[in-house]
mmCIF file of all heavy atoms in Angstrom:
data_model
loop_
_atom_site.group_PDB
_atom_site.id
_atom_site.type_symbol
_atom_site.label_atom_id
_atom_site.label_comp_id
_atom_site.label_asym_id
_atom_site.label_seq_id
_atom_site.Cartn_x
_atom_site.Cartn_y
_atom_site.Cartn_z
ATOM 1 N N ASN A 1 9.047 19.932 1.655
ATOM 2 C CA ASN A 1 9.483 19.796 3.047
ATOM 3 C C ASN A 1 8.879 18.551 3.680
ATOM 4 O O ASN A 1 9.575 17.725 4.292
ATOM 5 C CB ASN A 1 9.075 21.061 3.818
ATOM 6 C CG ASN A 1 9.562 21.085 5.247
ATOM 7 O OD1 ASN A 1 9.399 20.126 5.994
ATOM 8 N ND2 ASN A 1 10.139 22.207 5.656
ATOM 9 N N LEU A 2 7.579 18.377 3.516
ATOM 10 C CA LEU A 2 6.913 17.229 4.131
ATOM 11 C C LEU A 2 7.201 15.940 3.376
ATOM 12 O O LEU A 2 7.206 14.862 3.976
ATOM 13 C CB LEU A 2 5.411 17.473 4.236
ATOM 14 C CG LEU A 2 4.965 18.195 5.522
ATOM 15 C CD1 LEU A 2 5.464 19.627 5.566
ATOM 16 C CD2 LEU A 2 3.457 18.164 5.673
ATOM 17 N N SER A 3 7.466 16.032 2.083
ATOM 18 C CA SER A 3 7.873 14.846 1.345
ATOM 19 C C SER A 3 9.182 14.307 1.901
ATOM 20 O O SER A 3 9.356 13.086 2.040
ATOM 21 C CB SER A 3 8.023 15.172 -0.143
ATOM 22 O OG SER A 3 8.519 14.059 -0.854
ATOM 23 N N ALA A 4 10.096 15.193 2.241
ATOM 24 C CA ALA A 4 11.344 14.751 2.878
ATOM 25 C C ALA A 4 11.052 14.100 4.224
ATOM 26 O O ALA A 4 11.696 13.115 4.609
ATOM 27 C CB ALA A 4 12.295 15.928 3.046
ATOM 28 N N GLY A 5 10.062 14.609 4.924
ATOM 29 C CA GLY A 5 9.674 14.015 6.203
ATOM 30 C C GLY A 5 9.144 12.603 6.052
ATOM 31 O O GLY A 5 9.174 11.812 7.003
ATOM 32 N N ALA A 6 8.689 12.268 4.848
ATOM 33 C CA ALA A 6 8.187 10.916 4.599
ATOM 34 C C ALA A 6 9.302 9.887 4.554
ATOM 35 O O ALA A 6 9.031 8.692 4.368
ATOM 36 C CB ALA A 6 7.395 10.887 3.289
ATOM 37 N N ASN A 7 10.535 10.306 4.764
ATOM 38 C CA ASN A 7 11.627 9.335 4.884
ATOM 39 C C ASN A 7 11.391 8.367 6.035
ATOM 40 O O ASN A 7 11.952 7.269 6.049
ATOM 41 C CB ASN A 7 12.960 10.053 5.083
ATOM 42 C CG ASN A 7 13.549 10.539 3.773
ATOM 43 O OD1 ASN A 7 13.053 10.225 2.690
ATOM 44 N ND2 ASN A 7 14.612 11.317 3.852
ATOM 45 N N ARG A 8 10.574 8.749 6.998
ATOM 46 C CA ARG A 8 10.253 7.838 8.094
ATOM 47 C C ARG A 8 9.437 6.634 7.599
ATOM 48 O O ARG A 8 9.282 5.654 8.333
ATOM 49 C CB ARG A 8 9.494 8.573 9.200
ATOM 50 C CG ARG A 8 8.077 8.958 8.852
ATOM 51 C CD ARG A 8 7.400 9.744 9.949
ATOM 52 N NE ARG A 8 8.049 11.031 10.178
ATOM 53 C CZ ARG A 8 7.673 11.894 11.127
ATOM 54 N NH1 ARG A 8 6.682 11.590 11.945
ATOM 55 N NH2 ARG A 8 8.288 13.050 11.272
ATOM 56 N N LEU A 9 8.912 6.718 6.393
ATOM 57 C CA LEU A 9 8.177 5.604 5.797
ATOM 58 C C LEU A 9 9.073 4.738 4.926
ATOM 59 O O LEU A 9 8.644 3.686 4.450
ATOM 60 C CB LEU A 9 7.014 6.133 4.946
ATOM 61 C CG LEU A 9 6.092 7.178 5.575
ATOM 62 C CD1 LEU A 9 5.018 7.586 4.578
ATOM 63 C CD2 LEU A 9 5.478 6.670 6.860
ATOM 64 N N ASP A 10 10.300 5.183 4.716
ATOM 65 C CA ASP A 10 11.234 4.530 3.798
ATOM 66 C C ASP A 10 12.243 3.706 4.601
ATOM 67 O O ASP A 10 13.046 4.266 5.355
ATOM 68 C CB ASP A 10 11.961 5.600 2.973
ATOM 69 C CG ASP A 10 12.874 5.012 1.911
ATOM 70 O OD1 ASP A 10 13.287 3.853 2.042
ATOM 71 O OD2 ASP A 10 13.182 5.745 0.950
ATOM 72 N N PRO A 11 12.234 2.390 4.476
ATOM 73 C CA PRO A 11 13.077 1.552 5.338
ATOM 74 C C PRO A 11 14.572 1.659 5.074
ATOM 75 O O PRO A 11 15.376 1.128 5.847
ATOM 76 C CB PRO A 11 12.579 0.139 5.052
ATOM 77 C CG PRO A 11 12.044 0.216 3.661
ATOM 78 C CD PRO A 11 11.429 1.582 3.552
ATOM 79 N N ALA A 12 14.962 2.326 3.985
ATOM 80 C CA ALA A 12 16.385 2.427 3.658
ATOM 81 C C ALA A 12 16.894 3.858 3.665
ATOM 82 O O ALA A 12 18.066 4.091 3.370
ATOM 83 C CB ALA A 12 16.647 1.800 2.288
ATOM 84 N N ALA A 13 16.053 4.812 4.023
ATOM 85 C CA ALA A 13 16.424 6.217 3.830
ATOM 86 C C ALA A 13 17.335 6.765 4.914
ATOM 87 O O ALA A 13 18.344 7.423 4.616
ATOM 88 C CB ALA A 13 15.166 7.078 3.732
ATOM 89 N N GLU A 14 17.013 6.536 6.178
ATOM 90 C CA GLU A 14 17.727 7.224 7.253
ATOM 91 C C GLU A 14 17.923 6.306 8.452
ATOM 92 O O GLU A 14 16.981 5.631 8.893
ATOM 93 C CB GLU A 14 16.972 8.484 7.684
ATOM 94 C CG GLU A 14 16.897 9.525 6.578
ATOM 95 C CD GLU A 14 16.190 10.798 7.009
ATOM 96 O OE1 GLU A 14 15.399 10.758 7.965
ATOM 97 O OE2 GLU A 14 16.423 11.835 6.378
ATOM 98 N N PHE A 15 19.147 6.332 8.988
ATOM 99 C CA PHE A 15 19.493 5.524 10.150
ATOM 100 C C PHE A 15 20.323 6.372 11.116
ATOM 101 O O PHE A 15 20.978 7.334 10.698
ATOM 102 C CB PHE A 15 20.308 4.294 9.734
ATOM 103 C CG PHE A 15 19.553 3.295 8.918
ATOM 104 C CD1 PHE A 15 19.516 3.382 7.533
ATOM 105 C CD2 PHE A 15 18.862 2.260 9.539
ATOM 106 C CE1 PHE A 15 18.819 2.461 6.778
ATOM 107 C CE2 PHE A 15 18.154 1.332 8.788
ATOM 108 C CZ PHE A 15 18.133 1.433 7.410
ATOM 109 N N PRO A 16 20.327 6.003 12.381
ATOM 110 C CA PRO A 16 21.220 6.704 13.306
ATOM 111 C C PRO A 16 22.668 6.443 12.932
ATOM 112 O O PRO A 16 23.016 5.356 12.437
ATOM 113 C CB PRO A 16 20.863 6.095 14.666
ATOM 114 C CG PRO A 16 20.299 4.750 14.353
ATOM 115 C CD PRO A 16 19.580 4.922 13.044
ATOM 116 N N ALA A 17 23.514 7.426 13.181
ATOM 117 C CA ALA A 17 24.921 7.302 12.805
ATOM 118 C C ALA A 17 25.585 6.125 13.500
ATOM 119 O O ALA A 17 26.541 5.539 12.965
ATOM 120 C CB ALA A 17 25.653 8.602 13.140
ATOM 121 N N GLU A 18 25.075 5.750 14.685
ATOM 122 C CA GLU A 18 25.724 4.696 15.464
ATOM 123 C C GLU A 18 25.500 3.296 14.887
ATOM 124 O O GLU A 18 26.185 2.353 15.267
ATOM 125 C CB GLU A 18 25.204 4.718 16.909
ATOM 126 C CG GLU A 18 25.444 6.023 17.656
ATOM 127 C CD GLU A 18 24.398 7.068 17.345
ATOM 128 O OE1 GLU A 18 23.267 6.692 16.956
ATOM 129 O OE2 GLU A 18 24.701 8.276 17.481
ATOM 130 N N LEU A 19 24.536 3.146 13.984
ATOM 131 C CA LEU A 19 24.250 1.824 13.422
ATOM 132 C C LEU A 19 25.155 1.587 12.213
ATOM 133 O O LEU A 19 25.075 2.310 11.219
ATOM 134 C CB LEU A 19 22.785 1.717 13.002
ATOM 135 C CG LEU A 19 22.346 0.312 12.561
ATOM 136 C CD1 LEU A 19 22.285 -0.628 13.762
ATOM 137 C CD2 LEU A 19 21.004 0.356 11.850
ATOM 138 N N PRO A 20 26.033 0.596 12.280
ATOM 139 C CA PRO A 20 26.965 0.353 11.164
ATOM 140 C C PRO A 20 26.239 0.137 9.845
ATOM 141 O O PRO A 20 25.162 -0.467 9.794
ATOM 142 C CB PRO A 20 27.715 -0.910 11.600
ATOM 143 C CG PRO A 20 27.620 -0.919 13.091
ATOM 144 C CD PRO A 20 26.275 -0.332 13.404
ATOM 145 N N ALA A 21 26.847 0.628 8.772
ATOM 146 C CA ALA A 21 26.221 0.569 7.455
ATOM 147 C C ALA A 21 25.927 -0.867 7.035
ATOM 148 O O ALA A 21 24.920 -1.128 6.356
ATOM 149 C CB ALA A 21 27.121 1.260 6.431
ATOM 150 N N GLN A 22 26.761 -1.806 7.428
ATOM 151 C CA GLN A 22 26.561 -3.185 6.990
ATOM 152 C C GLN A 22 25.358 -3.852 7.638
ATOM 153 O O GLN A 22 24.946 -4.938 7.218
ATOM 154 C CB GLN A 22 27.818 -4.026 7.265
ATOM 155 C CG GLN A 22 28.169 -4.206 8.725
ATOM 156 C CD GLN A 22 29.114 -3.137 9.244
ATOM 157 O OE1 GLN A 22 29.172 -2.038 8.672
ATOM 158 N NE2 GLN A 22 29.862 -3.455 10.283
ATOM 159 N N LEU A 23 24.774 -3.208 8.657
ATOM 160 C CA LEU A 23 23.589 -3.759 9.309
ATOM 161 C C LEU A 23 22.294 -3.154 8.770
ATOM 162 O O LEU A 23 21.212 -3.589 9.132
ATOM 163 C CB LEU A 23 23.663 -3.540 10.821
ATOM 164 C CG LEU A 23 24.836 -4.205 11.561
ATOM 165 C CD1 LEU A 23 24.772 -3.882 13.049
ATOM 166 C CD2 LEU A 23 24.815 -5.715 11.343
ATOM 167 N N ARG A 24 22.397 -2.166 7.911
ATOM 168 C CA ARG A 24 21.228 -1.433 7.442
ATOM 169 C C ARG A 24 20.590 -2.105 6.218
ATOM 170 O O ARG A 24 21.287 -2.648 5.362
ATOM 171 C CB ARG A 24 21.613 0.003 7.091
ATOM 172 C CG ARG A 24 22.275 0.751 8.231
ATOM 173 C CD ARG A 24 22.754 2.125 7.789
ATOM 174 N NE ARG A 24 23.498 2.793 8.857
ATOM 175 C CZ ARG A 24 24.023 4.015 8.752
ATOM 176 N NH1 ARG A 24 23.869 4.700 7.623
ATOM 177 N NH2 ARG A 24 24.693 4.535 9.766
ATOM 178 N N TYR A 25 19.293 -2.003 6.154
ATOM 179 C CA TYR A 25 18.551 -2.590 5.031
ATOM 180 C C TYR A 25 18.873 -1.889 3.719
ATOM 181 O O TYR A 25 18.960 -0.652 3.640
ATOM 182 C CB TYR A 25 17.049 -2.478 5.303
ATOM 183 C CG TYR A 25 16.176 -2.908 4.147
ATOM 184 C CD1 TYR A 25 15.920 -4.257 3.916
ATOM 185 C CD2 TYR A 25 15.617 -1.969 3.283
ATOM 186 C CE1 TYR A 25 15.124 -4.655 2.845
ATOM 187 C CE2 TYR A 25 14.816 -2.353 2.223
ATOM 188 C CZ TYR A 25 14.575 -3.703 2.008
ATOM 189 O OH TYR A 25 13.780 -4.088 0.957
ATOM 190 N N ASP A 26 19.041 -2.679 2.697
ATOM 191 C CA ASP A 26 19.101 -2.197 1.318
ATOM 192 C C ASP A 26 18.455 -3.279 0.465
ATOM 193 O O ASP A 26 18.831 -4.455 0.559
ATOM 194 C CB ASP A 26 20.539 -1.946 0.871
ATOM 195 C CG ASP A 26 20.604 -1.380 -0.538
ATOM 196 O OD1 ASP A 26 20.521 -2.174 -1.499
ATOM 197 O OD2 ASP A 26 20.721 -0.150 -0.675
ATOM 198 N N ALA A 27 17.488 -2.891 -0.327
ATOM 199 C CA ALA A 27 16.708 -3.882 -1.075
ATOM 200 C C ALA A 27 17.586 -4.755 -1.966
ATOM 201 O O ALA A 27 17.278 -5.938 -2.180
ATOM 202 C CB ALA A 27 15.647 -3.178 -1.919
ATOM 203 N N LEU A 28 18.686 -4.207 -2.469
ATOM 204 C CA LEU A 28 19.538 -4.959 -3.386
ATOM 205 C C LEU A 28 20.727 -5.608 -2.704
ATOM 206 O O LEU A 28 21.038 -6.783 -2.935
ATOM 207 C CB LEU A 28 20.024 -4.035 -4.511
ATOM 208 C CG LEU A 28 18.935 -3.444 -5.416
ATOM 209 C CD1 LEU A 28 19.557 -2.513 -6.448
ATOM 210 C CD2 LEU A 28 18.135 -4.538 -6.099
ATOM 211 N N THR A 29 21.413 -4.838 -1.845
ATOM 212 C CA THR A 29 22.672 -5.330 -1.290
ATOM 213 C C THR A 29 22.539 -5.949 0.087
ATOM 214 O O THR A 29 23.408 -6.717 0.504
ATOM 215 C CB THR A 29 23.688 -4.181 -1.214
ATOM 216 O OG1 THR A 29 23.195 -3.163 -0.312
ATOM 217 C CG2 THR A 29 23.909 -3.567 -2.593
ATOM 218 N N ASN A 30 21.477 -5.635 0.815
ATOM 219 C CA ASN A 30 21.310 -6.199 2.161
ATOM 220 C C ASN A 30 19.829 -6.344 2.491
ATOM 221 O O ASN A 30 19.311 -5.694 3.404
ATOM 222 C CB ASN A 30 22.005 -5.316 3.203
ATOM 223 C CG ASN A 30 22.134 -6.007 4.550
ATOM 224 O OD1 ASN A 30 22.006 -7.235 4.647
ATOM 225 N ND2 ASN A 30 22.379 -5.231 5.599
ATOM 226 N N PRO A 31 19.125 -7.195 1.775
ATOM 227 C CA PRO A 31 17.670 -7.314 1.981
ATOM 228 C C PRO A 31 17.285 -7.870 3.345
ATOM 229 O O PRO A 31 16.127 -7.739 3.747
ATOM 230 C CB PRO A 31 17.230 -8.261 0.855
ATOM 231 C CG PRO A 31 18.458 -9.032 0.502
ATOM 232 C CD PRO A 31 19.600 -8.080 0.694
ATOM 233 N N GLY A 32 18.227 -8.465 4.060
ATOM 234 C CA GLY A 32 17.929 -8.961 5.402
ATOM 235 C C GLY A 32 18.346 -8.006 6.499
ATOM 236 O O GLY A 32 18.274 -8.352 7.682
ATOM 237 N N GLY A 33 18.751 -6.791 6.129
ATOM 238 C CA GLY A 33 19.217 -5.817 7.113
ATOM 239 C C GLY A 33 18.091 -5.169 7.894
ATOM 240 O O GLY A 33 16.900 -5.374 7.627
ATOM 241 N N ALA A 34 18.477 -4.366 8.868
ATOM 242 C CA ALA A 34 17.516 -3.664 9.724
ATOM 243 C C ALA A 34 16.786 -2.598 8.920
ATOM 244 O O ALA A 34 17.419 -1.740 8.293
ATOM 245 C CB ALA A 34 18.246 -3.036 10.905
ATOM 246 N N ARG A 35 15.461 -2.646 8.952
ATOM 247 C CA ARG A 35 14.638 -1.700 8.197
ATOM 248 C C ARG A 35 14.331 -0.475 9.070
ATOM 249 O O ARG A 35 13.788 -0.599 10.173
ATOM 250 C CB ARG A 35 13.340 -2.375 7.738
ATOM 251 C CG ARG A 35 13.580 -3.439 6.669
ATOM 252 C CD ARG A 35 12.327 -4.248 6.385
ATOM 253 N NE ARG A 35 11.204 -3.440 5.924
ATOM 254 C CZ ARG A 35 11.009 -3.077 4.664
ATOM 255 N NH1 ARG A 35 11.887 -3.444 3.726
ATOM 256 N NH2 ARG A 35 9.957 -2.360 4.318
ATOM 257 N N GLY A 36 14.668 0.698 8.531
ATOM 258 C CA GLY A 36 14.530 1.928 9.302
ATOM 259 C C GLY A 36 13.286 2.711 8.956
ATOM 260 O O GLY A 36 13.355 3.742 8.272
ATOM 261 N N ASP A 37 12.133 2.252 9.421
ATOM 262 C CA ASP A 37 10.884 2.980 9.192
ATOM 263 C C ASP A 37 9.970 2.791 10.389
ATOM 264 O O ASP A 37 10.175 1.904 11.213
ATOM 265 C CB ASP A 37 10.197 2.497 7.909
ATOM 266 C CG ASP A 37 9.760 1.047 7.996
ATOM 267 O OD1 ASP A 37 10.580 0.155 7.691
ATOM 268 O OD2 ASP A 37 8.614 0.805 8.390
ATOM 269 N N VAL A 38 8.944 3.624 10.471
ATOM 270 C CA VAL A 38 8.086 3.622 11.657
ATOM 271 C C VAL A 38 7.299 2.326 11.805
ATOM 272 O O VAL A 38 6.958 1.937 12.928
ATOM 273 C CB VAL A 38 7.101 4.818 11.633
ATOM 274 C CG1 VAL A 38 7.833 6.121 11.858
ATOM 275 C CG2 VAL A 38 6.300 4.866 10.334
ATOM 276 N N TYR A 39 7.025 1.644 10.717
ATOM 277 C CA TYR A 39 6.223 0.430 10.803
ATOM 278 C C TYR A 39 7.059 -0.745 11.302
ATOM 279 O O TYR A 39 6.633 -1.490 12.198
ATOM 280 C CB TYR A 39 5.574 0.135 9.456
ATOM 281 C CG TYR A 39 4.712 1.269 8.981
ATOM 282 C CD1 TYR A 39 5.029 1.984 7.827
ATOM 283 C CD2 TYR A 39 3.599 1.683 9.714
ATOM 284 C CE1 TYR A 39 4.257 3.052 7.407
ATOM 285 C CE2 TYR A 39 2.819 2.748 9.303
ATOM 286 C CZ TYR A 39 3.155 3.433 8.148
ATOM 287 O OH TYR A 39 2.390 4.490 7.754
ATOM 288 N N ASP A 40 8.244 -0.924 10.747
ATOM 289 C CA ASP A 40 9.102 -1.995 11.248
ATOM 290 C C ASP A 40 9.553 -1.707 12.679
ATOM 291 O O ASP A 40 9.823 -2.641 13.435
ATOM 292 C CB ASP A 40 10.303 -2.167 10.325
ATOM 293 C CG ASP A 40 9.921 -2.859 9.029
ATOM 294 O OD1 ASP A 40 9.871 -4.104 9.018
ATOM 295 O OD2 ASP A 40 9.638 -2.167 8.033
ATOM 296 N N HIS A 41 9.619 -0.450 13.050
ATOM 297 C CA HIS A 41 9.991 -0.089 14.419
ATOM 298 C C HIS A 41 8.867 -0.400 15.403
ATOM 299 O O HIS A 41 9.097 -0.469 16.605
ATOM 300 C CB HIS A 41 10.348 1.399 14.467
ATOM 301 C CG HIS A 41 10.967 1.850 15.748
ATOM 302 N ND1 HIS A 41 11.955 1.146 16.399
ATOM 303 C CD2 HIS A 41 10.731 2.949 16.508
ATOM 304 C CE1 HIS A 41 12.308 1.788 17.501
ATOM 305 N NE2 HIS A 41 11.578 2.877 17.591
ATOM 306 N N THR A 42 7.649 -0.589 14.906
ATOM 307 C CA THR A 42 6.498 -0.886 15.758
ATOM 308 C C THR A 42 5.916 -2.243 15.385
ATOM 309 O O THR A 42 4.722 -2.486 15.496
ATOM 310 C CB THR A 42 5.437 0.234 15.625
ATOM 311 O OG1 THR A 42 6.080 1.504 15.675
ATOM 312 C CG2 THR A 42 4.427 0.202 16.773
ATOM 313 N N VAL A 43 6.776 -3.150 14.949
ATOM 314 C CA VAL A 43 6.321 -4.442 14.440
ATOM 315 C C VAL A 43 5.654 -5.281 15.521
ATOM 316 O O VAL A 43 4.809 -6.134 15.214
ATOM 317 C CB VAL A 43 7.504 -5.202 13.799
ATOM 318 C CG1 VAL A 43 8.494 -5.677 14.850
ATOM 319 C CG2 VAL A 43 7.014 -6.356 12.942
ATOM 320 N N ASN A 44 5.979 -5.064 16.797
ATOM 321 C CA ASN A 44 5.333 -5.828 17.865
ATOM 322 C C ASN A 44 3.826 -5.574 17.906
ATOM 323 O O ASN A 44 3.067 -6.415 18.400
ATOM 324 C CB ASN A 44 5.938 -5.479 19.220
ATOM 325 C CG ASN A 44 7.340 -6.017 19.380
ATOM 326 O OD1 ASN A 44 7.811 -6.782 18.553
ATOM 327 N ND2 ASN A 44 8.008 -5.617 20.436
ATOM 328 N N VAL A 45 3.399 -4.434 17.414
ATOM 329 C CA VAL A 45 1.973 -4.109 17.355
ATOM 330 C C VAL A 45 1.368 -4.552 16.026
ATOM 331 O O VAL A 45 0.320 -5.199 15.987
ATOM 332 C CB VAL A 45 1.741 -2.595 17.551
ATOM 333 C CG1 VAL A 45 0.260 -2.243 17.370
ATOM 334 C CG2 VAL A 45 2.222 -2.146 18.916
ATOM 335 N N TYR A 46 2.036 -4.211 14.931
ATOM 336 C CA TYR A 46 1.446 -4.416 13.609
ATOM 337 C C TYR A 46 1.628 -5.836 13.080
ATOM 338 O O TYR A 46 0.843 -6.291 12.255
ATOM 339 C CB TYR A 46 2.044 -3.419 12.613
ATOM 340 C CG TYR A 46 1.777 -1.983 12.967
ATOM 341 C CD1 TYR A 46 2.770 -1.013 12.877
ATOM 342 C CD2 TYR A 46 0.514 -1.575 13.405
ATOM 343 C CE1 TYR A 46 2.519 0.315 13.197
ATOM 344 C CE2 TYR A 46 0.257 -0.255 13.734
ATOM 345 C CZ TYR A 46 1.272 0.686 13.634
ATOM 346 O OH TYR A 46 1.025 1.996 13.957
ATOM 347 N N GLY A 47 2.665 -6.541 13.519
ATOM 348 C CA GLY A 47 2.942 -7.869 13.012
ATOM 349 C C GLY A 47 3.676 -7.828 11.683
ATOM 350 O O GLY A 47 3.918 -6.762 11.110
ATOM 351 N N ARG A 48 4.039 -9.006 11.177
ATOM 352 C CA ARG A 48 4.806 -9.106 9.939
ATOM 353 C C ARG A 48 3.970 -9.715 8.813
ATOM 354 O O ARG A 48 3.169 -10.622 9.036
ATOM 355 C CB ARG A 48 6.060 -9.958 10.145
ATOM 356 C CG ARG A 48 7.074 -9.336 11.072
ATOM 357 C CD ARG A 48 8.400 -10.073 11.001
ATOM 358 N NE ARG A 48 9.339 -9.554 11.984
ATOM 359 C CZ ARG A 48 10.093 -8.475 11.807
ATOM 360 N NH1 ARG A 48 10.004 -7.805 10.670
ATOM 361 N NH2 ARG A 48 10.920 -8.064 12.756
#
């Protein structure tokens, strides 16, 4: 159960339905896409 919850750490696992698939990160097909994880979502604090 909690391992599934770790999808928040996975930049390609889960996105809101409203975000088009072509904008989402994929390591192979869209490496420049939007990364869906808690760290990239808080990048203003953590930096790149």
Side-chain angles (χ1 to χ4, degrees):
N1 184 311
L2 272 67
S3 175
N7 278 352
R8 71 183 64 183
L9 311 179
D10 185 338
E14 295 182 337
F15 293 89
E18 300 82 25
L19 187 71
Q22 65 269 23
L23 298 180
R24 304 175 185 181
Y25 173 81
D26 183 278
L28 297 178
T29 63
N30 193 17
R35 291 171 59 84
D37 64 273
V38 290
Y39 302 115
D40 285 276
H41 190 44
T42 315
V43 70
N44 289 351
V45 175
Y46 298 136
R48 293 192 185 277

